[in-house]
Each structure stands twice: as C-alpha cells, then as structure tokens.
Amino acid sequence: MRTEVIVVGGGPVGLLLAGELRLGGVGVTVLERRTGASTESRASTLHARTMELFDQRGLLERLGTPPNDSRGHFAGLPLDLGGTDSPYPGQWKVPQARTEELLREWACGLGAEVLPGREVTDLADLGDQVAVTVRGPAGPARLRARYLVGCDGEQSMVRALAGFELAGTDARREILRADVTGVQIGPRRFQRLPGGLAVAARLPSGVTRVMVHEFGRSPTSRAGAPDFAEVRAAWSRVTGEGLDGARPVWVNAFDDTCRQATAYRRGRVLLAGDAAHRQLPVGGQALNLGLQDAANLGWKLAAQVRGWGPDELLDTYHAERHAVGARALTNIAAQALLLFGGPEVEPVRAVVGELLGHPVVRAHLAAMVSGLDVRYPADPEHPLAGARMPPCTVHTGAGPRTLAEALRPGRFVLLDLTGGPGPDLGSRVRVLPATVTDSALEGMRHVLVRPDGHIAAAGPERRPPLAELRRWIAAPR
C-alpha cells in the first residue's frame, strides 16, 4: 500500500482519522511514539454525537453496551442529558484505552498501517508533498506523503515543527488526578469544599478515580506526572480524609490552559484533536471534540487525495471545525471559572443552578456539551443544510433501515423523497428512494447527507440538488 497520508499520533483521534481515510480508499500510515497500546484512560466518556458517529461506521456492535448515565454536569452543577433527540442520550462510560483499542482494530482491519515506536523529529512541506524525519527502532528514516495530519496531542510535535500558532490563555489552575485501588472512597461529584474541589468516582474497571484542586493554588512546574504522595497530601488538605492504603494505578495532572490553533491547516499539514486545541478536559469534551474533528476531516482529505473533491473542499475543514472548537473552548472556560473560583463565584453558581432548572436552558446546554447542536455554515437557500441529520428510519423497497446503516460505506447519501426512481449520481453518492417520517423534513423532496451525517442540502424541488452537490463533489464517478 502506497502511503498517501501520514497521521502522527496513534490515539483515538488519529485512529478514527485513519479508518475514515481508508474508507475513502487512501493509503495511510500512522506513526505512534509509544511502543505499545495505551493502558491509561485519561477520558472515560463518549457523548451522544460521538456514539452516533460510531453507529454510522458500524462500531457500536463491537463496542457492546457500555454503562450509560443520563446525568451530566455543567461546572459541577447537575445537568440532565437524557432529553435530547439522539438515540444515544447521556454519557457512555468507555475508558479511553478501550476506545483506542476499538478504533485500532477497525482502522487496521480496513488496511491502515500503524507503526509503533516512531517519533517525528523534523518535517518539511515540499509543495507537492510532505517529508518527515522519523526516529524508530531501526534508526532514523525519512518518509514522504501527499499530506500529514498531526493528531499527537497537547504537546504536538507536528504543530511545533510546522509553525502553527496557538492563541489563548495559559494555565492558572491545576487538578491532580489518580486512579487507585485498595481503598474505599465515597462518591464525590464535583464537591466544593472550603479549601478546594474534590471528585471521586468508581470506574467500570473497578478502580476509583480521584481528582483534587486546591483553591488559589497555581500550576506546579514539574517534569512529568506528579508523585502519588502529592495527590494524597492535597486530598487530605481539601477533604480532611486520608488515602492510606491506596495503590495508584495511574497518576497525572491537568490544567485549564485554553488555547486554539489559529489555523487548522498550513499547506499540506493539518491538525486535529488536542493538537489543534488545548482545554480543560471537563465533562469529556476534549476527546469527543477531537473525534468529531477526525470525522469531519477524513472524508474531505480522502476526496482531495483521490481527486473527486473540488479544490476548496479541504479548506472547509478549518472553516467548520475551528468555529466549533472556539465555541467549545468558551463553554469550557466558563465552566472552569465556576468550578475553580473561590467563594466569590457562589452567587453566580446559584443563578446558573436556577437557570438549569428551566427546560429550554437545560436542553440548550445538553445539546452543546453533547455535540448535538453543531451546525456548519451553509447556503441560506437550504434552511436545514449544515445541521446534523435528525435520527430517522429510512423506508426503502428493501424495508426499514436506519440512516446510520446507509452511511457506513463513508459515502454521501441522497434521500429521494419524491417516490420516483432515484437518479444515478455516480459511485460517491448512494441514492435511496425513501420515505422519511420526521417533522423536521416536512416538505422536503431531497435531502443530501454528507459522510459525517450532516446535511449538505435539502429542498422541496423535484430534481435533486445538483448545484449543491457540485460544491462537495467535483467529478462524481
């Protein structure tokens, strides 16, 4: 297989991107600095929109039925996530290591090549291709591809080498985190105490995750992860309880850095996930935001490489996802202020708590943190365009099926609601003569759905939206 795209970073974001590229027929090599699979689970939550994306690729059957909790939070204040229109409302408790394992199996099954123990030390955009110098088990090597995507996390080497700018604010607060065994700790759900904030939750794996922040304490300059003794001491100072007898499985610290790349693309180099934005990982938004970056980018980059996308298609990745990332960072920054502020924020927390009791406010925030209300810029002639396609059953001649099933090959789907035979629009568009019972689509005769499940066009005309289709597919074949 000829490598056409190099993905740097073998975590969930890089692996989802690799699988999306393989669905589009692109040769992809994933370079991972680690020598083995991750055993750490920094994130443990998949949101409703991510579950929908996994369903669109047939991954939920492999995932099984993870624990689900309809209770979320906004800055530690209870937020009901169960009232959304998604078939997967709430938070799905999946350790990040399991998500990574699932996506690696899927991507490799589709033909992606994953090379462990490879560290990128240099790169150059040569105009018609990208060259990277890689340090690996057999020594240094130089690889070339048409495009390179950095999915290598907060400390992205790709971002630094390619000269991307990160704009925003540096860390002002730090949280210590540890997964422990051998001790019984009562649950604490973002409990604010006089000296700080404490969280304790038992994970499906059987370990207990503790997190602690001391009010007024600035981030500590240290090399690497904190010692467990530091976590234990902070926990004792904040809660008055000891962690005697606890055995640490994993210890780390994170902070409220809030920065975003000013551009997600520089020539033939692109960024996705934490390489493109650094934020407090509150409520699992960081991982889910990154996975949704990959779902947006994959089919567009495949179209560029394979030659069926118009020249400007790849530019829509930045246009769409940068705005989504900025909005997410804004809500995360607001939560950080309400979570970590001292007594002075209590009146504001009281007001926000009262507002969360109103159905409209609750629904708005639930859709925001779950990624369900994302709407991309679109032609105003199509009022539904850019929105996520509502969950629906498509009734075809072969019987009912979900739209997610129709999207699994990673192609566009044109729902022809006229009742007549569908037109032939080439191999990139799957035409389904269908009847869809959804009030949001009332009066529509054609709905063009992108490979990532967002509506590209919708209208009442009897003819399919060919002009809008050409915006996404330059040469259907």
Side-chain angles (χ1 to χ4, degrees), residues 267-282:
R268 292 184 174 271
V269 182
L270 301 102
L271 302 177
D274 286 348
H277 34 74
R278 292 188 58 182
Q279 63 284 304
L280 181 74
V282 62

PDB file of all heavy atoms in Angstrom, residues 267-282:
ATOM      1  N   GLY A 267      -0.857  24.579   4.350  1.00  0.00           N
ATOM      2  CA  GLY A 267      -0.431  23.835   3.180  1.00  0.00           C
ATOM      3  C   GLY A 267      -0.870  22.394   3.246  1.00  0.00           C
ATOM      4  O   GLY A 267      -2.062  22.089   3.323  1.00  0.00           O
ATOM      5  N   ARG A 268       0.105  21.500   3.280  1.00  0.00           N
ATOM      6  CA  ARG A 268      -0.197  20.062   3.291  1.00  0.00           C
ATOM      7  C   ARG A 268      -0.136  19.453   4.691  1.00  0.00           C
ATOM      8  O   ARG A 268      -0.138  18.228   4.834  1.00  0.00           O
ATOM      9  CB  ARG A 268       0.761  19.317   2.349  1.00  0.00           C
ATOM     10  CG  ARG A 268       0.507  19.669   0.888  1.00  0.00           C
ATOM     11  CD  ARG A 268       1.362  18.882  -0.072  1.00  0.00           C
ATOM     12  NE  ARG A 268       0.971  19.171  -1.441  1.00  0.00           N
ATOM     13  CZ  ARG A 268       0.038  18.507  -2.129  1.00  0.00           C
ATOM     14  NH1 ARG A 268      -0.574  17.483  -1.573  1.00  0.00           N
ATOM     15  NH2 ARG A 268      -0.259  18.847  -3.362  1.00  0.00           N
ATOM     16  N   VAL A 269      -0.085  20.306   5.702  1.00  0.00           N
ATOM     17  CA  VAL A 269      -0.058  19.840   7.087  1.00  0.00           C
ATOM     18  C   VAL A 269      -1.333  20.317   7.780  1.00  0.00           C
ATOM     19  O   VAL A 269      -1.694  21.491   7.689  1.00  0.00           O
ATOM     20  CB  VAL A 269       1.185  20.360   7.833  1.00  0.00           C
ATOM     21  CG1 VAL A 269       1.217  19.820   9.260  1.00  0.00           C
ATOM     22  CG2 VAL A 269       2.459  19.981   7.082  1.00  0.00           C
ATOM     23  N   LEU A 270      -2.004  19.395   8.484  1.00  0.00           N
ATOM     24  CA  LEU A 270      -3.242  19.719   9.186  1.00  0.00           C
ATOM     25  C   LEU A 270      -3.158  19.237  10.621  1.00  0.00           C
ATOM     26  O   LEU A 270      -2.330  18.374  10.960  1.00  0.00           O
ATOM     27  CB  LEU A 270      -4.452  19.079   8.491  1.00  0.00           C
ATOM     28  CG  LEU A 270      -4.676  19.475   7.027  1.00  0.00           C
ATOM     29  CD1 LEU A 270      -4.175  18.358   6.105  1.00  0.00           C
ATOM     30  CD2 LEU A 270      -6.142  19.746   6.738  1.00  0.00           C
ATOM     31  N   LEU A 271      -4.027  19.772  11.474  1.00  0.00           N
ATOM     32  CA  LEU A 271      -4.095  19.387  12.882  1.00  0.00           C
ATOM     33  C   LEU A 271      -5.502  18.918  13.220  1.00  0.00           C
ATOM     34  O   LEU A 271      -6.486  19.415  12.662  1.00  0.00           O
ATOM     35  CB  LEU A 271      -3.739  20.564  13.789  1.00  0.00           C
ATOM     36  CG  LEU A 271      -2.378  21.230  13.608  1.00  0.00           C
ATOM     37  CD1 LEU A 271      -2.258  22.420  14.549  1.00  0.00           C
ATOM     38  CD2 LEU A 271      -1.242  20.238  13.828  1.00  0.00           C
ATOM     39  N   ALA A 272      -5.590  18.002  14.177  1.00  0.00           N
ATOM     40  CA  ALA A 272      -6.891  17.543  14.675  1.00  0.00           C
ATOM     41  C   ALA A 272      -6.752  17.180  16.145  1.00  0.00           C
ATOM     42  O   ALA A 272      -5.679  16.812  16.626  1.00  0.00           O
ATOM     43  CB  ALA A 272      -7.391  16.334  13.876  1.00  0.00           C
ATOM     44  N   GLY A 273      -7.857  17.276  16.864  1.00  0.00           N
ATOM     45  CA  GLY A 273      -7.869  16.900  18.274  1.00  0.00           C
ATOM     46  C   GLY A 273      -7.068  17.870  19.124  1.00  0.00           C
ATOM     47  O   GLY A 273      -6.991  19.069  18.834  1.00  0.00           O
ATOM     48  N   ASP A 274      -6.450  17.354  20.186  1.00  0.00           N
ATOM     49  CA  ASP A 274      -5.722  18.208  21.123  1.00  0.00           C
ATOM     50  C   ASP A 274      -4.513  18.890  20.493  1.00  0.00           C
ATOM     51  O   ASP A 274      -3.983  19.851  21.055  1.00  0.00           O
ATOM     52  CB  ASP A 274      -5.266  17.393  22.341  1.00  0.00           C
ATOM     53  CG  ASP A 274      -6.416  17.063  23.284  1.00  0.00           C
ATOM     54  OD1 ASP A 274      -7.495  17.651  23.112  1.00  0.00           O
ATOM     55  OD2 ASP A 274      -6.224  16.222  24.178  1.00  0.00           O
ATOM     56  N   ALA A 275      -4.065  18.424  19.342  1.00  0.00           N
ATOM     57  CA  ALA A 275      -3.003  19.143  18.637  1.00  0.00           C
ATOM     58  C   ALA A 275      -3.498  20.495  18.147  1.00  0.00           C
ATOM     59  O   ALA A 275      -2.709  21.433  17.986  1.00  0.00           O
ATOM     60  CB  ALA A 275      -2.499  18.314  17.449  1.00  0.00           C
ATOM     61  N   ALA A 276      -4.815  20.615  17.920  1.00  0.00           N
ATOM     62  CA  ALA A 276      -5.394  21.855  17.412  1.00  0.00           C
ATOM     63  C   ALA A 276      -5.967  22.732  18.503  1.00  0.00           C
ATOM     64  O   ALA A 276      -6.165  23.927  18.297  1.00  0.00           O
ATOM     65  CB  ALA A 276      -6.488  21.544  16.385  1.00  0.00           C
ATOM     66  N   HIS A 277      -6.277  22.137  19.654  1.00  0.00           N
ATOM     67  CA  HIS A 277      -6.866  22.926  20.737  1.00  0.00           C
ATOM     68  C   HIS A 277      -6.536  22.292  22.080  1.00  0.00           C
ATOM     69  O   HIS A 277      -6.626  21.084  22.270  1.00  0.00           O
ATOM     70  CB  HIS A 277      -8.390  23.045  20.571  1.00  0.00           C
ATOM     71  CG  HIS A 277      -9.052  21.841  19.966  1.00  0.00           C
ATOM     72  ND1 HIS A 277      -9.258  20.663  20.643  1.00  0.00           N
ATOM     73  CD2 HIS A 277      -9.549  21.640  18.727  1.00  0.00           C
ATOM     74  CE1 HIS A 277      -9.854  19.785  19.866  1.00  0.00           C
ATOM     75  NE2 HIS A 277     -10.042  20.346  18.683  1.00  0.00           N
ATOM     76  N   ARG A 278      -6.137  23.147  23.027  1.00  0.00           N
ATOM     77  CA  ARG A 278      -5.838  22.704  24.390  1.00  0.00           C
ATOM     78  C   ARG A 278      -6.878  23.291  25.324  1.00  0.00           C
ATOM     79  O   ARG A 278      -7.142  24.502  25.290  1.00  0.00           O
ATOM     80  CB  ARG A 278      -4.445  23.152  24.816  1.00  0.00           C
ATOM     81  CG  ARG A 278      -3.304  22.488  24.069  1.00  0.00           C
ATOM     82  CD  ARG A 278      -1.979  22.846  24.698  1.00  0.00           C
ATOM     83  NE  ARG A 278      -1.922  22.456  26.107  1.00  0.00           N
ATOM     84  CZ  ARG A 278      -0.879  22.684  26.908  1.00  0.00           C
ATOM     85  NH1 ARG A 278       0.171  23.319  26.437  1.00  0.00           N
ATOM     86  NH2 ARG A 278      -0.910  22.306  28.166  1.00  0.00           N
ATOM     87  N   GLN A 279      -7.473  22.459  26.141  1.00  0.00           N
ATOM     88  CA  GLN A 279      -8.534  22.902  27.013  1.00  0.00           C
ATOM     89  C   GLN A 279      -8.639  22.006  28.236  1.00  0.00           C
ATOM     90  O   GLN A 279      -8.117  20.892  28.242  1.00  0.00           O
ATOM     91  CB  GLN A 279      -9.890  22.908  26.291  1.00  0.00           C
ATOM     92  CG  GLN A 279     -10.369  21.538  25.808  1.00  0.00           C
ATOM     93  CD  GLN A 279      -9.666  21.042  24.583  1.00  0.00           C
ATOM     94  OE1 GLN A 279      -9.646  21.707  23.557  1.00  0.00           O
ATOM     95  NE2 GLN A 279      -9.054  19.870  24.681  1.00  0.00           N
ATOM     96  N   LEU A 280      -9.278  22.502  29.256  1.00  0.00           N
ATOM     97  CA  LEU A 280      -9.578  21.690  30.422  1.00  0.00           C
ATOM     98  C   LEU A 280     -10.482  20.538  29.982  1.00  0.00           C
ATOM     99  O   LEU A 280     -11.518  20.774  29.360  1.00  0.00           O
ATOM    100  CB  LEU A 280     -10.294  22.559  31.462  1.00  0.00           C
ATOM    101  CG  LEU A 280     -10.685  21.902  32.785  1.00  0.00           C
ATOM    102  CD1 LEU A 280      -9.452  21.702  33.640  1.00  0.00           C
ATOM    103  CD2 LEU A 280     -11.691  22.782  33.523  1.00  0.00           C
ATOM    104  N   PRO A 281     -10.133  19.289  30.276  1.00  0.00           N
ATOM    105  CA  PRO A 281     -10.947  18.163  29.807  1.00  0.00           C
ATOM    106  C   PRO A 281     -12.174  17.921  30.684  1.00  0.00           C
ATOM    107  O   PRO A 281     -12.383  16.836  31.219  1.00  0.00           O
ATOM    108  CB  PRO A 281      -9.963  16.988  29.869  1.00  0.00           C
ATOM    109  CG  PRO A 281      -9.034  17.339  30.977  1.00  0.00           C
ATOM    110  CD  PRO A 281      -8.883  18.838  30.930  1.00  0.00           C
ATOM    111  N   VAL A 282     -12.977  18.962  30.862  1.00  0.00           N
ATOM    112  CA  VAL A 282     -14.134  18.855  31.738  1.00  0.00           C
ATOM    113  C   VAL A 282     -15.288  18.193  30.999  1.00  0.00           C
ATOM    114  O   VAL A 282     -15.602  18.525  29.861  1.00  0.00           O
ATOM    115  CB  VAL A 282     -14.537  20.247  32.277  1.00  0.00           C
ATOM    116  CG1 VAL A 282     -14.948  21.178  31.153  1.00  0.00           C
ATOM    117  CG2 VAL A 282     -15.644  20.144  33.318  1.00  0.00           C
TER     118      VAL A 282
END
